[in-house]
Amino acid sequence: MSEAKHNRANADGAEPGRDMQHIVTSADVAREAGVSRSTVSRCLSGDRRISDATRKRVQETANRLGYHVNKIARSMNTRKSDLIGLVTSGLSDPFRVEFLDKLILAIQQSGYRPLVIDVSDPAQMGTSMMHLLQYQVAGVVVTSGSPPPEVGVHFLKRNVPVVLVNRAGRLEGADVINCDNVRGGEMAADLLLETGKTRFGFLNVKGGTFSGNVRGETFVSRLAPRLANGDISFTPLVCDSADYDGGFNAALKFLATPETAPNAIFCAKDHIALGLLDAARFELGLRIPEDIAVVGFDDIAAARQGAYQLTTVCQSATKLAEMTVDRLRQRIRGDALTDQRLILPVEMTRRRTA
Amino acid sequence: MSEAKHNRANADGAEPGRDMQHIVTSADVAREAGVSRSTVSRCLSGDRRISDATRKRVQETANRLGYHVNKIARSMNTRKSDLIGLVTSGLSDPFRVEFLDKLILAIQQSGYRPLVIDVSDPAQMGTSMMHLLQYQVAGVVVTSGSPPPEVGVHFLKRNVPVVLVNRAGRLEGADVINCDNVRGGEMAADLLLETGKTRFGFLNVKGGTFSGNVRGETFVSRLAPRLANGDISFTPLVCDSADYDGGFNAALKFLATPETAPNAIFCAKDHIALGLLDAARFELGLRIPEDIAVVGFDDIAAARQGAYQLTTVCQSATKLAEMTVDRLRQRIRGDALTDQRLILPVEMTRRRTA
DNA sequence: TCGTTGAATGCACACGTGTGCATTACCATT
DNA sequence: AATGGTAATGCACACGTGTGCATTCAACGA
């Protein structure tokens, strides 16, 4: 008997429970309750074969000793943890934060725990996702970036489901959930056409994102007939970053001469729209929506605030989170066999900017 | 040999690496490289005793087979994972989100992984924190709520460090990190006194929070001499929720009659201040800062935006996160012996609302 | 009374890793 | 040549749990 590595006192069996450093295991409960360790395990997992008498006794002893399952050890045996990996990049994008908020809640209520992985560098996406496998995660949700195709097979091989949310989905074995970017782009076009404005613009981040590109493309498609007529004009607008500052600086750059600048602008996302609004109003002295009509996308909390009252396409973070977790659970349970592509409906929320 | 539980093909040893479901373990690498499993383990952990030749050979085989350490198994053995528990409640508070953003980054850069626990119900705080112990976490950061004293001993017993950030700290064995609420309250008072306004107010959420109470108390203390003179007046203001809506509704309630209402208001946090500002400007038609001067606390991103330009006490989320992780690492390493209480300096950031 | 059945429980293995100690091999010193 | 020392590696145990199979025991029908 080595007993050297972990210095437990009372190795000879005299009152082992009194050891300060000792952590209660199922073996302790078993000894104390006068049953085998298997019985303890079965009692706590609700196995029907255990008699009510012993079940009760075991549960009482477990409570008395303050026993808690060691989930690491359990995962070691079952080869599956109750962790769900969340791949994201920072918490600066307001809509993603709202989504993560609901997602974390939904994950917890399903009995899982979120393990967050932050990938700021897209090139590290692959290795970061592989890191998740080291923790035997039960599933993964990707909310940022696009995982390289080769990681898909590793998750497939281990039956670890992957859900891509609002991403370009080329990943084999993964489900894809998107809000209805197509319908959103169309609704934005329809509403801006109603305003009677004639110089249209779509503001997106340089290089574009998957969601943003789809929104922009369908926006333009919807304008196409009127563009062909020559009734209206369209200008693509590009900003350096997909956030408030990006929108702010873009406004300074593109709206400096209001007579010719676009006056009906669809922004790829609300956060950009907020910056645009502030620069237009407070730096350039433009009136909203008289001088410029603005439509955003997402319906983040700030869009509802008095200072902005942004007209925007609303996608529900709550529903998106529920869909995500539902799908994850289906796959974990083994129900879902084929990859699926789900679409969350969107709505137009009309406020004061268009 | 049972071989029934986990259905591995090729149990007889013929080309075991070709099994589809098989996951590469250190034993595979050992066999392939012609060494013992111990040697593999030592190579990958950088043990000096291994000769350069075998180290190189082992690392090459590991890469070739695509071996990744099973961290669950490692944790099982070492009784410590590289997970750090983050106790929070939702992602609706902007400053907490900014802090978590930086914190997650800092945690990852130190080689750890954040495991998020969301406690919406304060009564569940205790059990939720106990859940963290099931994952053998290396440490815990509490950013919301106040853990009940009895959980402290469990973490102490297992040498799992706990850091409370911007919380009331009564927890034995835990470090406490706060921003300088005292100095912040004083600075807010000084600045608002400078404006020449005479009717002072402090807006906090009903019931108060630890940080908010300290800010309010020192604010009033600083006003005390002038209050005693009768130069100025002070009214405590209370809102229902510690967010935008709370501030908004409070403004409607308390600022309806501008002649007698407070005109120099210190808000316990920026998020509340934003709501107050919008209601005051857009609902009540008040001018800022001519009619009402407002000072916030935190310096969240929105405070910098053109629509608000909030004058506020700035605490750096980045520095707060760095301090937190530094302290965690010290304790994990075993350097830090006694509980510590750290204070992050704050600064006044003057913008347009006071 | 004996064999059969079914419920309740224990035994023993497996999960994949880190590490103390023993062992081997090789070289320098006496 | 014998001895001592050191560098490199293997053996074997432990971590705490879930679960297939064997075992026990009581009840019951023939």
Side-chain angles (χ1 to χ4, degrees):
Chain A
M1 190 177 290
S2 75
E3 285 297 332
K5 184 178 162 194
H6 303 297
N7 52 348
R8 288 197 178 180
N10 297 322
D12 48 1
E15 296 238 357
R18 290 281 168 258
D19 184 352
M20 255 313 265
Q21 290 293 342
H22 183 68
I23 291 159
V24 184
T25 75
S26 65
D28 297 326
V29 179
R31 193 181 324 113
E32 191 79 7
V35 296
S36 77
R37 210 177 43 69
S38 318
T39 304
V40 175
S41 171
R42 287 194 247 263
C43 282
L44 276 61
S45 70
D47 194 312
R48 307 284 309 176
R49 297 179 305 176
I50 301 294
S51 72
D52 292 347
T54 53
R55 155 169 294 118
K56 198 178 169 193
R57 191 179 62 229
V58 168
Q59 281 180 341
E60 276 174 0
T61 2
N63 289 334
R64 183 160 51 82
L65 299 185
Y67 170 71
H68 296 273
V69 180
N70 183 331
K71 294 213 176 181
I72 296 285
R74 169 185 289 173
S75 299
M76 164 109 237
N77 190 358
T78 62
R79 307 167 80 129
K80 222 42 138 188
S81 73
D82 53 4
L83 297 174
I84 288 186
L86 298 190
V87 181
T88 177
S89 84
L91 299 178
S92 51
D93 180 1
F95 181 76
R96 188 181 303 153
V97 170
E98 292 182 14
F99 171 63
L100 285 174
D101 185 17
K102 307 302 182 186
L103 184 62
I104 290 173
L105 228 59
I107 285 176
Q108 263 192 196
Q109 280 172 348
S110 301
Y112 294 93
R113 299 285 177 188
L115 175 58
V116 178
I117 296 261
D118 193 301
V119 283
S120 36
D121 180 10
Q124 289 190 322
M125 168 76 73
T127 54
S128 292
M129 286 192 64
M130 293 305 292
H131 286 336
L132 280 175
L133 287 179
Q134 300 180 340
Y135 297 93
Q136 315 266 65
V137 289
V140 177
V141 181
V142 178
T143 73
S144 170
S146 298
E150 68 266 22
V151 307
V153 299
H154 288 111
F155 285 83
L156 211 51
K157 193 195 218 176
R158 306 208 193 186
N159 284 324
V160 177
V162 177
V163 176
L164 309 179
V165 180
N166 279 344
R167 317 270 94 229
R170 288 188 291 273
L171 199 65
E172 184 197 12
D175 292 316
V176 183
I177 303 183
N178 281 313
C179 74
D180 197 340
N181 291 313
V182 171
R183 190 79 196 92
E186 292 173 355
M187 291 166 90
D190 290 345
L191 190 136
L192 284 174
L193 282 171
E194 275 182 33
T195 64
K197 299 274 197 296
T198 55
R199 301 187 302 276
F200 286 69
F202 174 66
L203 177 57
N204 198 5
V205 67
K206 182 169 52 188
T209 63
F210 168 71
S211 298
N213 291 345
V214 176
R215 292 167 195 174
E217 287 161 17
T218 55
F219 179 69
V220 177
S221 297
R222 194 70 160 195
L223 297 180
R226 305 288 301 277
L227 278 169
N229 284 351
D231 294 347
I232 61 174
S233 67
F234 175 80
T235 314
L237 309 173
V238 175
C239 56
D240 292 327
S241 58
D243 53 16
Y244 179 89
D245 289 337
F248 193 91
N249 293 327
L252 297 184
K253 185 169 160 190
F254 296 115
L255 308 182
T257 57
E259 303 77 23
T260 60
N263 57 2
I265 302 181
F266 178 35
C267 295
K269 54 197 305 184
D270 283 358
H271 206 199
I272 296 178
L274 301 187
L276 179 94
L277 283 176
D278 280 350
R281 297 182 296 182
F282 304 121
E283 301 295 322
L284 303 174
L286 300 171
R287 292 165 309 159
I288 311 290
E290 292 81 1
D291 295 329
I292 300 187
V294 177
V295 172
F297 202 116
D298 285 343
D299 197 19
I300 62 178
R304 292 189 284 274
Q305 293 179 186
Y308 295 106
Q309 292 287 339
L310 178 66
T311 295
T312 189
V313 179
C314 171
Q315 60 170 324
S316 163
T318 306
K319 285 192 184 146
L320 204 56
E322 285 168 0
M323 286 171 69
T324 304
V325 174
D326 279 352
R327 190 64 191 161
L328 270 180
R329 296 180 66 176
Q330 284 172 21
R331 285 205 102 122
I332 291 174
R333 220 181 309 136
D335 295 358
L337 298 173
T338 66
D339 300 356
Q340 211 164 320
R341 176 178 292 270
L342 302 174
I343 306 275
L344 172 79
V346 297
E347 294 174 11
M348 175 58 75
T349 304
R350 187 146 198 188
R351 297 204 180 88
R352 306 233 175 107
T353 63
Chain B
M1 190 177 289
S2 73
E3 285 299 331
K5 184 179 164 193
H6 303 297
N7 52 347
R8 285 199 180 178
N10 297 322
D12 49 359
E15 296 239 357
R18 291 282 168 257
D19 183 352
M20 253 315 264
Q21 289 293 341
H22 182 67
I23 291 159
V24 184
T25 76
S26 65
D28 298 326
V29 179
R31 193 181 325 112
E32 190 79 7
V35 295
S36 78
R37 209 177 43 70
S38 317
T39 303
V40 174
S41 171
R42 287 194 247 263
C43 282
L44 276 61
S45 70
D47 196 312
R48 306 284 310 178
R49 296 179 305 176
I50 302 294
S51 72
D52 292 347
T54 52
R55 154 168 296 118
K56 197 178 168 192
R57 191 181 61 224
V58 167
Q59 282 180 342
E60 276 172 0
T61 18
N63 288 336
R64 182 161 52 83
L65 299 185
Y67 171 71
H68 295 272
V69 175
N70 182 331
K71 294 211 176 180
I72 297 283
R74 169 185 289 173
S75 298
M76 163 108 239
N77 191 358
T78 62
R79 307 168 79 132
K80 227 31 141 195
S81 73
D82 53 4
L83 298 174
I84 288 186
L86 298 190
V87 181
T88 177
S89 84
L91 299 177
S92 50
D93 179 1
F95 181 76
R96 188 181 303 152
V97 170
E98 292 182 14
F99 171 62
L100 285 174
D101 186 18
K102 307 302 182 186
L103 184 62
I104 289 173
L105 227 61
I107 284 176
Q108 262 190 197
Q109 281 172 348
S110 302
Y112 294 92
R113 299 285 176 187
L115 176 58
V116 177
I117 296 259
D118 193 302
V119 283
S120 36
D121 180 10
Q124 289 190 323
M125 168 76 75
T127 55
S128 292
M129 285 191 65
M130 293 305 292
H131 286 334
L132 279 175
L133 287 179
Q134 299 181 339
Y135 297 93
Q136 314 268 62
V137 290
V140 177
V141 181
V142 178
T143 72
S144 169
S146 298
E150 67 266 23
V151 307
V153 299
H154 288 110
F155 285 82
L156 210 51
K157 194 197 221 175
R158 306 208 193 185
N159 285 324
V160 177
V162 178
V163 176
L164 309 178
V165 180
N166 279 344
R167 320 268 93 228
R170 287 188 291 274
L171 200 64
E172 185 197 11
D175 293 315
V176 183
I177 303 182
N178 281 313
C179 74
D180 197 340
N181 291 313
V182 170
R183 189 79 195 93
E186 292 173 357
M187 291 166 89
D190 291 346
L191 189 136
L192 284 174
L193 282 171
E194 274 182 33
T195 63
K197 300 275 197 294
T198 55
R199 301 188 303 275
F200 286 70
F202 174 67
L203 177 57
N204 197 4
V205 66
K206 182 169 54 188
T209 62
F210 167 71
S211 299
N213 291 346
V214 175
R215 292 167 195 175
E217 287 161 15
T218 54
F219 179 69
V220 178
S221 298
R222 194 71 157 197
L223 298 180
R226 304 286 301 277
L227 279 169
N229 284 352
D231 293 347
I232 61 173
S233 68
F234 174 81
T235 316
L237 309 173
V238 176
C239 55
D240 292 327
S241 58
D243 53 16
Y244 179 90
D245 289 337
F248 193 92
N249 293 327
L252 297 184
K253 185 168 160 192
F254 297 115
L255 308 182
T257 56
E259 303 76 22
T260 59
N263 58 1
I265 302 181
F266 177 35
C267 296
K269 55 197 305 183
D270 283 358
H271 206 199
I272 296 179
L274 301 187
L276 179 95
L277 284 176
D278 280 350
R281 296 183 297 183
F282 304 120
E283 301 294 322
L284 303 175
L286 299 171
R287 292 166 308 159
I288 310 290
E290 293 81 1
D291 296 329
I292 300 188
V294 177
V295 172
F297 202 114
D298 285 342
D299 197 19
I300 63 179
R304 291 189 284 275
Q305 292 179 186
Y308 295 106
Q309 292 286 337
L310 179 66
T311 295
T312 189
V313 179
C314 170
Q315 60 171 324
S316 163
T318 306
K319 284 192 183 145
L320 203 55
E322 286 169 359
M323 286 171 69
T324 305
V325 173
D326 280 351
R327 190 62 191 163
L328 270 181
R329 296 180 65 176
Q330 285 173 19
R331 286 204 102 122
I332 290 173
R333 219 181 310 136
D335 295 356
L337 298 172
T338 65
D339 300 356
Q340 210 164 319
R341 175 179 292 269
L342 302 174
I343 306 275
L344 171 78
V346 296
E347 294 174 11
M348 176 58 75
T349 304
R350 187 147 198 186
R351 298 201 181 90
R352 306 233 175 106
T353 62

